[in-house]
Amino acid sequence: MFNLTDCIGFITNTASKKIVDAFNERLRDNNITRVKWIALFFIGEEKNISQKELAQKMNANESSIARLLERMERDDLCVRERDTTDRRIIRVNLTSKGAQLRTELLPLGQSFHDDATDGIPAGDLEIFKNVLDKMVANVTKDQ
C-alpha cells in the first residue's frame, strides 16, 4: 500500500524546503534573497548571458526572471541591453556593484555547501547526484 512518507517526491520536496530555508537564513544577514544570489552567480559566470538562458539555468519562467532583473537593475546589481544583432534578445551583465556583491557572497555558498555535505563521502555524493539525475530523467522522458 502507498505510504506518502516513503514517496521519493515527498522526501525530496521536504529535504529541498529545509535546505532552501537554511540557505535563505544564511543570506538574510546579507540582505539578499536566494533567488538574487543564484542570479548573481549565473550572470557573473557567463558574461553577456541572455535573459532566456538565465531563465533556463535558474529553472524559472522568463516572466519571473524579467521581474527579478527589474529589481536587480533598480538595486544597481545588473544591466540589461538589447542584443546588437538580434533585438529580440536581451543580454544581462553585472554592474560593478553586482560583481562586488557576487564576489563577497560566493564564499557563503561554498560554506553552506560544505556544511550541508559534511561527513558525506565524495562517492556517496556522486551517487546521490546520479540517482537524482536518473529520477528526473524518468519523470520527464515524455515531456
Side-chain angles (χ1 to χ4, degrees), residues 3 9 34 38 43-45 47-49 57-60 83 86 94 123 129 134 142:
N3 182 348
R34 178 184 57 85
I38 293 169
I43 297 168
E45 185 88 354
K47 307 290 185 238
N48 222 25
I49 190 170
K57 286 183 179 290
M58 292 183 65
N59 206 18
D83 187 275
D86 186 342
L94 295 179
K129 290 188 276 185
K134 178 62 175 157
D142 294 331

Side-chain angles (χ1 to χ4, degrees), residues 3-95:
N3 182 348
L4 181 62
T5 59
D6 289 333
C7 176
I8 199 67
F10 182 76
I11 293 167
T12 55
N13 186 55
T14 300
S16 178
K17 283 182 178 182
K18 289 180 180 185
I19 291 168
V20 164
D21 289 348
F23 192 48
N24 277 331
E25 187 63 33
R26 292 220 189 157
L27 289 171
R28 184 171 288 131
D29 292 341
N30 294 284
N31 201 27
I32 191 163
T33 65
R34 178 184 57 85
V35 175
K36 275 187 187 176
W37 185 90
I38 293 169
L40 284 170
F41 175 83
F42 284 122
I43 297 168
E45 185 88 354
E46 187 174 328
K47 307 290 185 238
N48 222 25
I49 190 170
S50 75
Q51 192 168 299
K52 182 177 183 173
E53 291 167 324
L54 180 62
Q56 290 168 342
K57 286 183 179 290
M58 292 183 65
N59 206 18
N61 63 51
E62 288 186 60
S63 61
S64 295
I65 294 303
R67 289 188 302 274
L68 170 66
L69 292 174
E70 284 174 18
R71 292 189 302 274
M72 290 178 69
E73 275 186 312
R74 183 194 65 222
D75 296 339
D76 191 32
L77 298 175
C78 72
V79 291
R80 291 183 291 174
E81 298 173 333
R82 294 265 174 209
D83 187 275
T84 55
T85 58
D86 186 342
R87 303 285 296 157
R88 296 171 295 179
I89 298 172
I90 299 172
R91 299 279 175 196
V92 186
N93 286 289
L94 295 179
T95 62

